[in-house]
Amino acid sequence: TETGCLSIIVLGASGDLAKKKTFPALFNLYQQGFLQLNDVHIFGYSRTQLCDDELRERIKGYLPVENKVSSNVFNFLQLIKYVSGAYDSPEGFQELDKAISEHETSKKSHEGSSRRLFYLALPPSVYPQVCKMIKIFCTNKSGLSGWTRVVFEKPFGKDLASAEELSAQIGELFDEPQIYRIDHYLGKELVQNLLVLRFANRFFLPLWNRDNISNVQIVFREDFGTEGRGGYFDQYGIIRDIIQNHLLQIFCLVAMEKPVSTKPEHIRDEKVKVLQSVNPIRDEDVVLGQYRGYKDDPTVPDDSVTPTFATVVLHIHNERWEGVPFILKAGKALNSRKAEIRVQFKDVPGDIFKSSKQGRNEFVIRLQPSEAMYMKLTVKQPGLEMTAAQSELDLSYRQRYQEVVIPEAYERLILDTIKGDQQHFVRRDELKAAWEIFTPLLHRIDEGDLQPQGYEPGSRGPAEADELLEKAGYVQTHGYIWIPPTL
Ligand code: BG6
């Protein structure tokens, strides 16, 4: 591990994302001692005129401090300094550079290192100009060894052309190893587990293919609407907000081939390949929805046709997956909040138990809430009778790993940016391949060729989506519900 001077610069420091995610994640890292290994300073930059203490006060309210040491809060906040300025202002960024350099060259600082991590908690429209400012005014010119890295939040473009343009603009200023495109789903425990699960278990190796698997669902549901984010959301819609990034990343990890090694580039190579093997999306593979009441938000236009729900079935053209539908489904204002991967196996051939009535084998990975993996399998109904019934092998994390606190996604990912590990970040060619899949569909939606169906808030979404699921071959098990164990 590197030691020495580390500067973390949060641009957009007074905004929502910084307050809710970035600073709390930094605080958690601080609490666990990760930042103390370094001589760390944190800088906040945004347009709002604030003094250091005003920013600290704003951040304080969002820090997760239950059962934790309050002196840590104070010490953490003291690390934070604030500089205000515009996002295209040379003066602002010169001042920022001065503040960073002061601490890099202070006596306390370890000699000979300047590591600068810029975190852009900003709207993408300002990415190019901010990157330019960072490059011109804030990359270390003192000859000290170290690095400059830049962390970007989504949305990274709106379609293939805009994403490529953005990539090109940023690519002129920074090299790919300096660029960290965050997809926070890649920081979730069970998403990170997929690689191990798939490639370290003999159980799965022979089964994970078209011979045995009937269909795969990757599902994201939220039980609330776009509350307060209607203006942003309406520009993007659920496909750009959730499916093109979060669900597609999960899709890659479920469907890709085994990488040569666990090196980040080897893993990302495989992700790109499977994305490139996805067939063009046909209209009949899509159901869109918009919940009733979405347009009541004053920041949403009255005639908006932006989907808040979508089911999209992807088909992969390769030897492993030909003919297996991958059903990506995401929706807001539904009847529950959860994210899961559901791998459904084919029926048992020559079944003598009529077990298909009990339902098929399924392997479910629940990302949230209550992380778990469970395998639905058919067993003899315990007791005197000789009937088959559906049961499960259940690995519920809260029960199995009682001592472990599962880290927040952002906490892990920020730590990776400090360590320089790009495995859980989206590479430029991966981003391009992801946009290539969805851009034609998105353009058709934007042009009004595909219309969303209305659905009631708090429902399962449009009925057409369940029909599509059935058409894709998914067989629902009736009368079986998995209940997470309680401690
Ligand atoms: C964000 C989306 O990327 O992810 C939001 O923009 C969504 O619309 C959020 O609510 C969900 O993240 P999580 O971690 O709460 O599932």
Side-chain angles (χ1 to χ4, degrees):
T1 32
E2 300 169 320
T3 52
C5 210
L6 172 65
S7 311
I8 301 173
I9 304 104
V10 181
L11 299 127
S14 63
D16 233 35
L17 178 77
K19 272 191 309 214
K20 290 187 183 151
K21 300 287 184 191
T22 322
F23 286 115
L26 288 170
F27 175 67
N28 282 346
L29 290 175
Y30 179 80
Q31 291 242 86
Q32 295 165 76
F34 286 110
L35 302 186
Q36 287 84 332
L37 290 174
N38 302 285
D39 175 19
V40 168
H41 280 235
I42 300 171
F43 299 88
Y45 184 93
S46 63
R47 285 175 308 191
T48 321
Q49 288 286 343
L50 296 172
C51 65
D52 291 351
D53 279 334
E54 282 168 322
L55 178 71
R56 290 170 184 159
E57 206 44 48
R58 283 189 182 204
I59 293 169
K60 196 172 163 186
Y62 289 89
L63 298 182
V65 284
E66 332 78 58
N67 309 325
K68 291 179 186 163
V69 200
S70 62
S71 64
N72 275 356
V73 175
F74 178 81
N75 292 340
F76 171 75
L77 290 173
Q78 289 312 302
L79 296 176
I80 305 174
K81 296 212 157 52
Y82 185 70
V83 178
S84 83
Y87 295 119
D88 56 358
S89 143
E91 297 76 34
F93 281 86
Q94 274 160 340
E95 202 188 318
L96 181 61
D97 181 62
K98 211 173 114 217
I100 303 170
S101 305
E102 261 167 29
H103 117 81
E104 283 173 347
T105 50
S106 78
K107 275 201 217 78
K108 209 177 111 214
S109 179
H110 300 246
E111 225 178 285
S113 92
S114 155
R115 290 178 292 151
R116 299 182 174 192
L117 183 67
F118 291 88
Y119 192 107
L120 273 56
L122 291 170
S125 52
V126 299
Y127 287 171
Q129 70 200 52
V130 167
C131 285
K132 220 171 179 173
M133 291 291 129
I134 293 173
K135 174 81 183 186
I136 300 174
F137 298 107
C138 296
T139 37
N140 141 55
K141 288 170 219 76
S142 57
L144 294 175
S145 72
W147 44 252
T148 301
R149 294 181 187 142
V150 191
V151 186
F152 298 91
E153 279 289 339
K154 69 148 220 283
F156 210 85
K158 275 198 89 171
D159 61 5
L160 179 60
S162 55
E164 277 291 281
E165 192 189 331
L166 194 53
S167 287
Q169 286 170 324
I170 294 168
E172 271 176 31
L173 302 165
F174 298 103
D175 298 332
E176 189 62 23
Q178 299 180 282
I179 299 173
Y180 288 74
R181 300 178 192 87
I182 280 206
D183 182 314
H184 80 282
Y185 266 61
L186 291 177
K188 294 195 188 266
E189 182 65 39
L190 286 200
V191 176
Q192 298 205 339
N193 189 32
L194 282 168
L195 194 71
V196 180
L197 198 68
R198 281 198 53 204
F199 300 114
N201 288 293
R202 194 73 196 230
F203 273 141
F204 296 118
L205 299 179
L207 297 183
W208 212 258
N209 55 46
R210 63 192 299 268
D211 299 335
N212 301 287
I213 291 175
S214 162
N215 60 81
V216 178
Q217 279 185 70
I218 302 171
V219 182
F220 167 97
R221 307 163 150 271
E222 266 178 355
D223 55 0
F224 49 89
T226 55
E227 277 129 53
R229 296 169 74 227
Y232 150 81
F233 188 89
D234 201 67
Q235 304 285 308
Y236 292 89
I238 197 79
I239 296 179
R240 293 182 177 97
D241 191 46
I242 304 288
I243 298 183
Q244 179 269 348
N245 34 69
H246 303 329
L247 299 195
L248 199 65
Q249 283 296 324
I250 298 171
F251 162 87
C252 288
L253 293 163
V254 171
M256 72 185 193
E257 296 300 312
K258 183 171 174 166
V260 174
S261 77
T262 57
K263 288 204 182 95
E265 295 325 314
H266 286 155
I267 295 167
R268 301 199 293 177
D269 287 347
E270 293 308 327
K271 289 164 92 179
V272 174
K273 279 192 227 164
V274 73
L275 290 174
Q276 289 173 337
S277 310
V278 173
N279 286 342
I281 301 168
R282 302 164 305 178
D283 285 1
E284 62 261 37
D285 291 328
V286 183
V287 171
L288 305 175
Q290 187 188 76
Y291 67 86
R292 301 204 172 86
Y294 168 69
K295 288 181 289 200
D296 297 346
D297 182 332
T299 58
V300 172
D302 293 338
D303 59 352
S304 166
V305 288
T306 301
T308 60
F309 174 102
T311 299
V312 181
V313 183
L314 299 183
H315 296 272
I316 304 171
H317 183 64
N318 71 14
E319 196 174 315
R320 184 185 293 276
W321 295 119
E322 185 81 62
V324 181
F326 281 76
I327 305 148
L328 275 48
K329 176 159 97 180
K332 300 227 166 228
L334 297 177
N335 55 355
S336 61
R337 174 176 181 259
K338 68 176 177 188
E340 63 179 24
I341 304 162
R342 187 173 291 266
V343 180
Q344 185 171 71
F345 289 83
K346 293 185 172 177
D347 290 326
V348 171
D351 177 31
I352 57 169
F353 297 107
K354 305 202 174 64
S355 66
S356 55
K357 266 208 221 132
Q358 317 301 334
R360 290 172 157 182
N361 285 151
E362 279 182 13
F363 179 49
V364 184
I365 300 167
R366 181 193 278 231
L367 313 180
Q368 63 190 37
S370 311
E371 290 88 347
M373 282 180 237
Y374 57 98
M375 260 178 188
K376 286 165 61 173
L377 72 176
T378 302
V379 301
K380 180 183 120 25
Q381 174 69 44
L384 288 174
E385 275 164 77
M386 189 56 204
T387 51
Q390 187 129 70
S391 189
E392 69 282 314
L393 286 174
D394 181 352
L395 173 57
S396 282
Y397 273 44
R398 214 178 287 157
Q399 201 177 47
R400 177 65 177 78
Y401 300 109
Q402 292 180 24
E403 310 303 315
V404 183
V405 181
I406 296 181
E408 284 291 316
Y410 275 98
E411 200 177 313
R412 260 190 243 266
L413 295 176
I414 293 176
L415 188 59
D416 284 345
T417 64
I418 296 172
K419 290 182 179 164
D421 182 344
Q422 290 192 307
Q423 172 176 337
H424 303 295
F425 295 83
V426 182
R427 202 166 70 185
R428 179 173 172 174
D429 53 349
E430 201 180 331
L431 180 79
K432 177 168 183 258
W435 279 119
E436 273 165 353
I437 295 173
F438 286 103
T439 296
L441 171 65
L442 288 165
H443 284 172
R444 294 203 12 87
I445 297 172
D446 293 345
E447 282 152 23
D449 294 338
L450 290 172
Q451 298 278 337
Q453 317 283 330
Y455 65 94
E456 283 310 312
S459 70
R460 279 183 57 79
E464 288 83 350
D466 284 332
E467 288 158 23
L468 180 58
L469 209 64
E470 210 175 300
K471 213 180 87 198
Y474 177 69
V475 180
Q476 203 174 343
T477 318
H478 293 286
Y480 170 92
I481 307 171
W482 175 73
I483 301 160
T486 44
L487 275 183

